[in-house]
Amino acid sequence: MTETTQSTTTQPTEQPLDLLYSETEDDLRAAVRALLADRAGHQTLLGRIETDSPYVPGLWKSLAADIGAAGLLVPEKLGGQGASHREAAVVLEELGRAVTPLPYLTSAVVAAETLLALVGEGDAAAGLLAELAGGRTVAVLAVPLSTAPDAELPLGESVAAVADATAADVFLVLRADGLYAVPAEEATVEPQTPLDLTRPLARVTTGAGSGTWLAGPDAARTAVRRGLLAGAGLLASEQLGLAEWCLEETVRYTRERHQFNRPVGSFQALKHRMAQLWLDLVGARAAARAAADALATGNADAPLIVAVAQAYCSKVAVRAAEECVQLHGGIGMTWEHPAHLALKRAKSDQIALGSAGRHQDAIAALVGLAPPM
């Protein structure tokens, strides 16, 4: 490696990645987990997923405003909590564990990060950010859920597969001349049928002259990519939480389920499968925490670390959910058991904000690895 290459790929002055949880983060986890257990247990969700709205009434206010989770990424001077991506990652771990239908990733992470990049562009972005941080407004970036941070950004009046569009008060719409904040009442929202019923999708159509201008084309694209990068990085934490629940629930079930007068979990083949899944989870936790810390500290290698986290964690979440369904036997295949909620969320997350293959390509590009001939 030449001296020039080395100077552009290493950052000797940066702090090592901190993968551990702080006491504050543990306290936040306990508060969020208690709230979700009380208000949004799996049986509650199973009773709502085929209704017009899977969102539990009042839950967003409790999480976003009462606990203050919506403003974790927003500085105090702008109306937020002044925390970081590390704390937001903890919230997403718990939302992933419970497969909770809430617009947290889309509003408190992607939209908030996009608006943070535009605070210096004018008062409109700062004002909207304060409303979002206080939990009074849900903002959604009008791009397909599958949009990767390095993907071509969609322009136009109609965008399909926008996640949590039915919960939005404001849409952040990218147009040729910049980014606009369009109130939901000025947009047409047509629900679409998603695989994951706990994360609704919709087509969003806005008029050419609607909304409030936030930033010009260059600043808008930079801000949107920043929002998508933060979303992809913290999505890994949601996938981690989901995978952890799948393993814990599977271990619990295989301890209680008996065949031939012994727990099925004592059979060697099943022990090996769960042990391998535990090893996968250890790696996923390291990758997800690295992504959260890199985003929180502004690490120059954040795009690479985020791509690694997504390429790895998305696969682990799917495998954990598949094992959860399989090792629960017959009950795991039924609509009454929540295992299918985890599997559908894992499969949906696998293509959200870029597929694993897309992130692997990004890794290769970032480290200068040529594709095979």
Side-chain angles (χ1 to χ4, degrees):
M1 180 179 292
T2 66
E3 184 177 352
T4 301
T5 302
Q6 192 172 26
S7 66
T8 59
T9 56
T10 60
Q11 299 292 327
T13 60
E14 289 190 0
Q15 296 295 320
L17 292 169
D18 182 2
L19 307 186
L20 302 179
Y21 297 97
S22 67
E23 184 177 348
T24 300
E25 290 163 6
D26 287 337
D27 290 342
L28 176 61
R29 179 192 307 283
V32 175
R33 186 174 295 188
L35 171 66
L36 298 181
D38 180 56
R39 302 278 299 280
H42 284 129
Q43 292 307 313
T44 299
L45 299 187
L46 288 170
R48 295 193 61 85
I49 56 173
E50 292 190 283
T51 65
D52 292 338
S53 173
Y55 304 109
V56 177
L59 184 60
W60 176 250
K61 178 182 181 299
S62 297
L63 178 70
D66 298 345
I67 291 181
L72 288 175
L73 299 184
V74 182
E76 292 184 57
K77 65 180 181 180
L78 296 175
Q81 304 300 318
S84 75
H85 302 78
R86 293 175 56 91
E87 289 79 11
V90 169
V91 174
L92 279 165
E93 282 184 36
E94 294 306 307
L95 294 177
R97 284 181 63 92
V99 201
T100 310
L102 280 179
Y104 190 82
L105 179 68
T106 47
S107 182
V109 176
V110 176
E113 192 78 14
T114 300
L115 291 170
L116 278 170
L118 299 176
V119 167
E121 299 293 319
D123 295 336
L128 179 55
L129 188 61
E131 289 292 308
L132 187 155
R136 298 181 293 275
T137 295
V138 172
V140 170
L141 181 63
V143 298
L145 177 61
S146 60
T147 306
D150 62 348
E152 182 178 351
L153 299 176
L155 299 175
E157 298 180 2
S158 184
V159 181
V162 178
D164 295 317
T166 57
D169 300 304
V170 176
F171 293 105
L172 303 182
V173 179
L174 187 62
R175 296 175 181 151
D177 60 338
L179 191 70
Y180 287 78
V182 179
E185 57 267 23
E186 296 181 20
T188 301
V189 178
E190 304 170 74
Q192 297 176 303
T193 302
L195 170 65
D196 175 16
L197 296 175
T198 65
R199 179 164 279 156
L201 303 178
R203 176 178 290 276
V204 176
T205 304
T206 57
S210 61
T212 301
W213 184 86
L214 298 177
D218 293 339
R221 284 173 172 78
T222 299
V224 168
R225 293 197 186 282
R226 173 174 161 177
L228 294 173
L229 181 68
L234 298 192
L235 178 62
S237 292
E238 178 179 295
Q239 292 163 332
L240 170 63
L242 186 151
E244 286 181 334
W245 177 84
C246 288
L247 178 58
E248 291 172 12
E249 177 64 18
T250 303
V251 170
R252 181 200 63 77
Y253 178 79
T254 56
R255 281 176 174 169
E256 297 176 356
R257 180 76 168 91
H258 282 65
Q259 286 184 353
F260 308 111
N261 293 322
R262 56 185 289 192
V264 296
S266 66
F267 298 143
Q268 192 79 346
L270 299 193
K271 287 197 289 186
H272 284 177
R273 288 169 68 170
M274 288 183 281
Q276 182 58 55
L277 189 54
W278 182 83
L279 291 174
D280 291 342
L281 277 174
V282 172
R285 185 177 300 110
R289 292 303 293 168
D293 191 69
L295 290 167
T297 59
N299 192 305
D301 286 330
L304 174 60
I305 296 170
V306 166
V308 170
Q310 262 308 297
Y312 186 76
C313 292
S314 63
K315 295 179 180 179
V316 172
V318 170
R319 204 172 79 78
E322 289 174 342
E323 290 287 74
C324 182
V325 171
Q326 290 290 328
L327 297 183
H328 271 76
I331 188 65
M333 308 293 178
T334 66
W335 200 252
E336 290 74 23
H337 194 277
H340 69 90
L341 296 179
L343 180 58
K344 291 168 185 173
R345 173 64 68 88
K347 292 297 290 184
S348 174
D349 282 356
Q350 194 175 30
I351 61 171
L353 299 169
S355 65
R358 178 87 190 208
H359 288 288
Q360 288 171 339
D361 290 342
I363 293 169
L366 289 167
V367 301
L369 181 63
M373 299 301 292

